[in-house]
């Protein structure tokens, strides 16, 4: 009777360890996928902001050039 109890307990703990290991692996894989997705979205937003910032710097330089010369050439405005 004692031998069967030990075998059953060993089988239970082996199954629990296998389930925990596979569950941990799938959670880790899901975490990495979500992390990569968020990093890609942040990179896209950062690139968009950098592009808009450079356009604003260019426009500001053109406006400062107008102010120093006194002329009023057309300055292109963004379509957004």
């Amino acid at each position: 009777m004692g031998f069967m109890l030990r075998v059953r307990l060993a089988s239970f703990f082996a199954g629990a360890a296998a389930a925990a290991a596979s569950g941990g692996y799938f959670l880790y894989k899901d975490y990495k996928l979500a992390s990569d997705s968020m990093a890609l979205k942040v990179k896209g937003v950062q690139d968009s902001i950098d592009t808009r910032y450079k356009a604003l710097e260019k426009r500001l330089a053109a406006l400062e050039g107008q102010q120093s010369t006194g002329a009023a050439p057309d300055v292109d405005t963004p379509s957004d």
Side-chain angles (χ1 to χ4, degrees):
M1 184 81 171
F3 176 72
M4 288 300 293
L5 181 62
R6 282 188 288 171
V7 169
R8 288 182 181 180
L9 279 175
S11 297
F12 171 76
F13 287 120
S22 64
Y25 171 74
F26 285 119
L27 283 176
Y28 176 74
K29 202 166 87 171
D30 188 40
Y31 164 76
K32 288 299 287 180
L33 181 66
S35 175
D36 292 343
S37 173
M38 288 299 292
L40 189 61
K41 287 180 184 179
V42 168
K43 175 110 173 83
V45 169
Q46 184 180 11
D47 291 344
S48 171
I49 289 173
D50 285 344
T51 303
R52 291 177 67 187
Y53 183 73
K54 287 177 184 178
L56 284 173
E57 281 183 339
K58 183 179 176 183
R59 189 169 174 217
L60 180 63
L63 289 172
E64 286 176 347
Q66 282 180 11
Q67 193 175 28
S68 65
T69 61
D74 290 335
V75 175
D76 59 333
T77 58
S79 61
D80 288 338

